[in-house]
């Protein structure tokens, strides 16, 4: 498109929105705060539309059962994948990745049948005070992930690494939930770091593998996701009092979808 055509499109968009989306300077154009917000929301809407189109297409398929599930992070997704592969192939699955608050709301409103989330005894999601039932699928504890290049001959303590490098985490939506889980999991080290969210799991692995940041990982579940190409060493938090992290299946207590029970039975019969 020509510059003139782009300028006309921009002007028309700003007129329709009723806000200035771009900061125009000589030979330079940047998004305003309103523009950045609009871009974020518009991207979310487009992604939602693409996913909704796919989901609607699933309803056109012949199947005995529809089953909708959610998960919070790639670790819960790995757990869910194992169980779903064990369910009947005639089932149509609708799957969403979302923030904790989003998932709890969708299960409460019965928009989805169930969800797998990370919980922690020291950071109570107050699930028991709602109309939700929960069952613990896996109990795990945190380990520290960092680039092998950062490990010196002189053994540094976890506190040393936390003091030197930023701690990052990934969640699909803006939320400090996972940061709070980290802090409640590592006891006395909780006050030694500030965490920040990144936009994708791949970005998190890249930054950690390149030695630009560190992160916490569930010790057992990372075994199902780690690859040699991540270039990440996973160090035990020896000498640190850590709380167990629980990965739970949540569902509305009025939901009697039989596949929920099948997921529970899968984890009852498999060791992790």
């Amino acid at each position: 498109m020509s510059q003139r055509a782009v300028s006309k499109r921009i002007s028309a968009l700003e007129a329709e929105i009723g806000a200035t989306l771009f900061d125009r300077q000589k030979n330079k154009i940047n998004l305003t705060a309103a523009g950045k917000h609009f871009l974020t929301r518009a991207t979310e809407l487009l992604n939602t539309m693409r996913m909704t189109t796919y989901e609607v297409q699933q309803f056109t398929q012949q199947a005995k059962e529809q089953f909708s599930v959610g998960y919070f992070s790639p670790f819960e997704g790995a757990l869910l994948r194992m169980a779903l592969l064990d369910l009947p192939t005639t089932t149509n699955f609708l799957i969403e990745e979302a923030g904790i608050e989003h998932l709890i709301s969708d299960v409460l409103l019965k928009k989805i049948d169930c969800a797998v989330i990370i919980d922690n005894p020291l950071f109570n999601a107050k699930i028991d005070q709602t109309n939700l039932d929960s069952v613990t699928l896996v109990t795990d504890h945190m380990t520290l992930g960092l680039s092998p290049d950062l490990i010196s001959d002189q053994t540094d303590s976890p506190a040393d690494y936390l003091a030197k490098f930023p701690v990052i985490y990934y969640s699909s939506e803006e939320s400090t939930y996972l940061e709070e889980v980290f802090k409640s999991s590592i006891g006395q080290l909780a006050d030694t770091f500030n965490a920040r969210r990144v936009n994708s799991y791949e970005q998190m692995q890249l930054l950690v593998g390149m030695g630009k940041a560190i992160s916490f990982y569930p010790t057992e579940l990372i075994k199902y996701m780690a690859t040699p190409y991540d270039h990440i060493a996973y160090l035990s938090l020896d000498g640190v009092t850590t709380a167990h992290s629980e990965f739970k299946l949540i569902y509305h207590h009025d939901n009697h979808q039989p596949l929920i029970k099948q997921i529970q039975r899968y984890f009852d019969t498999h060791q992790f």
Side-chain angles (χ1 to χ4, degrees), residues 140-206:
D140 209 340
H141 59 277
M142 292 296 172
T143 189
L144 185 65
L146 70 165
S147 170
D149 299 336
L150 301 180
I151 302 175
S152 61
D153 294 334
Q154 297 178 347
T155 303
D156 290 327
S157 68
D160 293 328
Y161 291 116
L162 290 172
K164 294 177 183 177
F165 301 98
V167 177
I168 58 175
Y169 65 92
Y170 162 67
S171 64
S172 60
E173 298 175 344
E174 287 288 352
S175 172
T176 60
Y177 182 89
L178 199 52
E179 178 180 351
E180 296 299 327
V181 169
F182 286 168
K183 290 184 175 180
S184 65
S185 297
I186 61 173
Q188 70 268 32
L189 294 181
D191 296 329
T192 62
F193 75 92
N194 291 311
R196 64 179 179 87
R197 172 181 172 269
V198 295
N199 294 322
S200 71
Y201 178 75
E202 291 76 14
Q203 184 183 19
M204 182 179 79
Q205 295 299 84
L206 276 171

Side-chain angles (χ1 to χ4, degrees), residues 15 36 56 74 76 81 90 105 120 126 148-150 164 166 187 210-211 228 249 270 272:
K36 291 177 181 178
V56 170
E76 288 90 336
R81 180 176 64 247
T90 53
S105 175
N120 191 286
K126 301 188 182 302
D149 299 336
L150 301 180
K164 294 177 183 177
M210 293 170 63
L249 179 72
H270 291 74
F272 295 91

Side-chain angles (χ1 to χ4, degrees), residues 108-124:
L108 278 171
L109 295 173
K110 300 181 181 180
K111 291 184 177 180
I112 58 177
D113 290 307
C114 61
V116 180
I117 66 171
I118 184 173
D119 192 21
N120 191 286
L122 300 180
F123 186 81
N124 185 1

Side-chain angles (χ1 to χ4, degrees), residues 11-152:
S11 297
L13 178 60
E14 289 180 325
E16 180 180 352
I17 298 300
T20 301
L21 303 178
F22 297 89
D23 178 22
R24 298 166 179 81
Q25 300 177 15
K26 185 177 180 180
N27 298 324
K28 191 176 181 181
I29 184 169
N30 294 310
L31 287 170
T32 63
K36 291 177 181 178
H37 181 72
F38 181 78
L39 175 62
T40 299
R41 291 299 191 189
T43 301
E44 291 174 356
L45 288 170
L46 288 172
N47 289 337
T48 298
M49 187 59 196
R50 294 188 188 99
M51 193 62 203
T52 301
T53 300
Y54 166 77
E55 291 171 349
V56 170
Q57 291 170 351
Q58 302 308 299
F59 284 102
T60 64
Q61 299 181 10
Q62 293 297 318
K64 296 180 180 179
E65 228 165 348
Q66 299 283 346
F67 189 51
S68 54
V69 296
Y71 65 94
F72 172 57
S73 78
F75 302 108
E76 288 90 336
L79 277 178
L80 193 58
R81 180 176 64 247
M82 300 174 201
L84 295 185
L85 290 173
D86 201 53
L87 297 182
T89 57
T90 53
T91 304
N92 274 345
F93 294 107
L94 300 180
I95 304 172
E96 73 171 16
E97 179 184 4
I100 290 287
E101 298 85 354
H102 191 158
L103 291 171
I104 291 175
S105 175
D106 280 358
V107 175
L108 278 171
L109 295 173
K110 300 181 181 180
K111 291 184 177 180
I112 58 177
D113 290 307
C114 61
V116 180
I117 66 171
I118 184 173
D119 192 21
N120 191 286
L122 300 180
F123 186 81
N124 185 1
K126 301 188 182 302
I127 293 174
D128 296 335
Q129 299 177 23
T130 66
N131 290 321
L132 299 181
D133 289 335
S134 67
V135 58
T136 299
L137 304 179
V138 173
T139 299
D140 209 340
H141 59 277
M142 292 296 172
T143 189
L144 185 65
L146 70 165
S147 170
D149 299 336
L150 301 180
I151 302 175
S152 61

Side-chain angles (χ1 to χ4, degrees), residues 250-269:
I250 61 172
Y251 54 95
H252 197 286
H253 69 82
D254 288 337
N255 191 331
H256 304 296
Q257 162 65 262
L259 295 183
I260 295 176
K261 296 299 181 183
Q262 289 193 42
I263 291 178
Q264 295 182 43
R265 284 195 294 270
Y266 175 86
F267 287 97
D268 287 340
T269 56

